[in-house]
Structures are given as structure tokens and as C-alpha cells.
Amino acid sequence: MPHLKPKTLYITLSALMVGLVALVYGVLLLHELSRSDALMLQQAGAAAKRIGREAAATVENELRPARVSVAQLVSGALGSAASEPARLTALPQLAAALRSNAAVSAVYVGTARGSFLLLRRMGDAPSRSRMGAPADAAYALQSVDRDAGAPRGSYRFFDAGLHELQRLDRPDYVFDPRTRPWYELARRAGDGVAVQSEPYLFFTTGEPGVTLAEARGDVVVGADVSLQALGEMLARPQISRSAELLIATAGGEMLAQARREPAPPPVAGGRGLPKLDEAATPLMRTLWARRDAQGRLDPVQQVGQREWVAHALPLADGQATGAALTLLMAAPRDELQAFQIESRRHGFYISLGLMLALLPLVHLLADRVSRPLRELARQAEAIRHFEFGGPDPKRSLIREVDRLALAMT
């Protein structure tokens, strides 16, 4: 059996007291770590649900006024107009619909004969340049008249007071509304039933949006509603500095996103939404691919050299846009736990400082406890050598040591 070198009581007590302090700190640290992880996941999940509710509310706030405007237009004079002059009398109502709905970029009407009339807002110089409009044009009216047989296309430009500034005959403009999905949807739904297209990119502006339409008799009234506000909502500071968010359809088409690096500009003239596999960041493409069959995602994901807290949340009101939508969110774990990590660091420094500050007290207490035992040891050594002339051992506050001192007197 190996011989263990005995340690002094002073060293034993000092090590015991310092060890107890370290043990208490370690237990508290482990408890805080477990609570911190649970709290982080809970807060991240709550943030994802909050953003989902905001996204659904943003979509509804953009679509609700447009639905009301389309219903008012189709139930008014425009819904019963049988000729282009009759449709032109509804120009003030069309302009009012644009003025009252900032998200509506165009309102239009198509007829069973193939006639078409569209009023568009001229909000900036590029849009005026694309259509060859005068510099002070506030609205552009595109029309195709098929009431008399052969199509006659024209562009008209108006100022803010709806005074005609210029008219251009456009024989090449032969747009037929009967071939468009919004017209077919409204016809199939029947009179007085509002329909909605799936999200797509507007041809003129390149912005994502949907078309609302409603049929009445031989007329279908529609409105293009931009969903650009979704991207603006996601771009606001939400969770952490490096967090990324996007909203996509079930088919992987991206409707809006907030990302760390600048996104490529939208392409005017496109019809489909950008594909997530092409337009999203590598992080979001990886997380999208890791979803299970139900579209769920494990809350903690290792991507590259970093841990991310991620959520894939279906938007409860996604059907409002005509397609099922999913909110995908990812934030770095170290950023979400930055406060807790800093608190643990401060706690470590405080505990270390307390242990260093307690060392003199530990030294004093260990010395006071072990001193009577050292004196008893010296007294026992003297007795072993038959030396009985020394002083009596001092009394001790520790009962066992005091009894031993009394026994040796």
C-alpha cells in the first residue's frame, strides 16, 4: 500500500474552503447555462411568432383597402360601362383608388369583348421615361378599345388634377385582358366574389405583389397591390445584428427578405418571383434545405463555423396572399446570448475576486483552527520524551480539540 504524505490541517482546511467556493460557483454556472439556453430558445421562438404576426398584419393592411376599392369600383359606374367613353367617366374614381392606397400601383378594368383600361401612377422619372410621358405627368392611362371590332390602343397622360397632357395612339398595344389569370379567376368565381392571384413580380416595377379582381356582368375590375412593405418590415431591426429573415412560398419562391449583404435589385419585366435557391444567402439556402417533411427545423443549427438559432414558421394568414407562405429566421447563437455570456464572464470575475479576497480570511481561520492542534502535538511530543514541565495546553473553541487539551492536562 503506497504511503501518503500527510498534509497539515492548515493546508487541508484552506483547500477545503476554496474548493467549496469553487464547487458552489460551478453548480450555479451549470444551472445558469441550462436556464440561459432554455430562455434563449424561448425568446427566439417568441420573436419568430411576433414577426410572423407582423408579416400577416402587414399583408392584410396592404390588401384590405385595395379590396374595398375594387368592390366600390366594380359596383359603381365602371361596372356597368359598355363603352370606352363610359369607362373614361370613371377616371376620377380610379385616381381616387390610387391616391387612397399607396400600395396599389395600378387599377384597371377588362370587358368580355376584350377592351381594357388601366390607370397607373407615375411616381418617378424612370416610370415616366419608360412610357414616354411628359415630365409633369402624374398618371398614365393605357387603353385598348375592342368594342367596335379591331383593337385600338392608346396612351394618355394626366397631371395631378386629371387634366390631359398628351395622347399617343399605340396601334402596337393590343393587350387582351381575357388572357390574363386575374380575369379568368374572377370569371370562374362569379359576380361579386373577390379573387386574388398568387404573388409575382410586377412587369413594370419589378416589385413583388398580387392582383385583386372582382367580376360583375361583362366587366372585371382589378388592382395591382405591391407587397414591398413586407421587405421593409423584415429589414427593420428585429432580433440581432446578423440575423437573417425571409418569407417564401411553399415552392421556394422568395417574396421578401432581410439579409446582411445587399440583395440584387429586382428585375423589371420579370414575371416569377426569384427562386430561393438562387437569390437567398448560402445560410438561408442551407436552412431551407434542412427542413423536414412538415417544414419544421431544429431550433439550433450548425452552419459553417457558427451555431445559429433558426425557425421555419408557416404564416397563419398566408392564404391572404393567394399562396402558403413560410417565415424563415436565423440568428447567431452568440449574439442572442451575448448578454448571458457577458453576465457569466462578470460572474466568473466576481467569484475569482471573492476567492482571492477570502484567501487572507481563510488563512486566518485555518491558522486559528489548527494552532491548538499544533500545540497539542508539541505537548504530546514532550510527553513522549517524559518532559512534563511545559505549560498546559490552551483551551479551544472546538469541542473535540478542547476535550483533548483537558485530557492532557
Side-chain angles (χ1 to χ4, degrees), residues 3-279:
H3 176 68
L4 298 178
K5 185 179 179 180
K7 302 294 189 297
T8 65
L9 182 62
Y10 166 74
I11 295 177
T12 303
L13 289 176
S14 299
L16 181 62
M17 296 179 71
V18 172
L20 285 174
V21 173
L23 177 63
V24 170
Y25 173 73
V27 172
L28 292 177
L29 179 61
L30 290 175
H31 177 66
E32 183 185 349
L33 281 173
S34 62
R35 286 187 68 253
S36 174
D37 288 345
L39 183 62
M40 173 205 62
L41 295 176
Q42 181 182 358
Q43 290 177 342
K49 292 178 181 178
R50 173 180 57 81
I51 295 170
R53 289 193 298 269
E54 288 184 13
T58 298
V59 171
E60 184 59 24
N61 289 340
E62 299 294 337
L63 296 182
R64 187 187 300 114
R67 290 194 195 102
V68 173
S69 295
V70 168
Q72 290 176 341
L73 289 171
V74 78
S75 61
L78 189 62
S80 57
S83 65
E84 182 164 294
R87 289 189 287 274
L88 289 174
T89 61
L91 188 60
Q93 288 76 35
L94 295 173
L98 291 177
R99 284 194 296 265
S100 61
N101 299 280
V104 176
S105 59
V107 287
Y108 39 85
V109 57
T111 71
R113 293 182 178 180
S115 294
F116 180 69
L117 186 137
L118 177 148
L119 186 67
R120 184 185 306 281
R121 184 187 293 109
M122 296 279 96
D124 50 34
S127 61
R128 297 186 187 97
S129 177
R130 278 193 299 269
M131 299 193 67
D136 54 347
Y139 300 101
L141 183 71
Q142 302 167 231
S143 65
V144 178
D145 185 5
R146 287 188 172 87
D147 295 336
R152 292 182 293 111
S154 66
Y155 285 1
R156 295 180 178 90
F157 302 103
F158 299 86
D159 63 12
L162 293 181
H163 300 110
E164 187 171 327
L165 301 175
Q166 185 181 10
R167 174 173 177 166
L168 300 174
D169 289 330
R170 295 290 301 269
D172 59 324
Y173 185 58
V174 292
F175 178 85
D176 191 339
R178 296 169 296 184
T179 64
R180 304 309 302 158
W182 56 267
Y183 185 93
E184 296 174 356
L185 280 173
R187 280 293 180 206
R188 286 199 299 267
D191 286 2
V193 179
V195 297
Q196 197 168 292
S197 71
E198 292 191 359
Y200 66 99
L201 290 183
F202 292 154
F203 183 87
T204 304
T205 63
E207 293 181 352
V210 297
T211 293
L212 303 177
E214 187 174 329
R216 188 172 297 270
D218 292 337
V219 169
V220 175
V221 174
D224 287 343
V225 185
S226 171
L227 295 179
Q228 190 72 14
L230 269 180
E232 296 170 358
M233 184 274 294
L234 292 184
R236 293 198 297 267
Q238 298 281 356
I239 303 171
S240 71
R241 182 179 64 257
S242 302
E244 296 190 24
L245 304 98
L246 63 80
I247 295 175
T249 66
E253 296 178 315
M254 202 158 55
L255 187 60
Q257 66 173 327
R259 51 195 284 169
R260 290 169 292 173
E261 63 268 17
V267 179
R271 297 300 298 177
L273 293 170
K275 291 292 185 180
L276 190 148
D277 291 341
E278 300 171 356

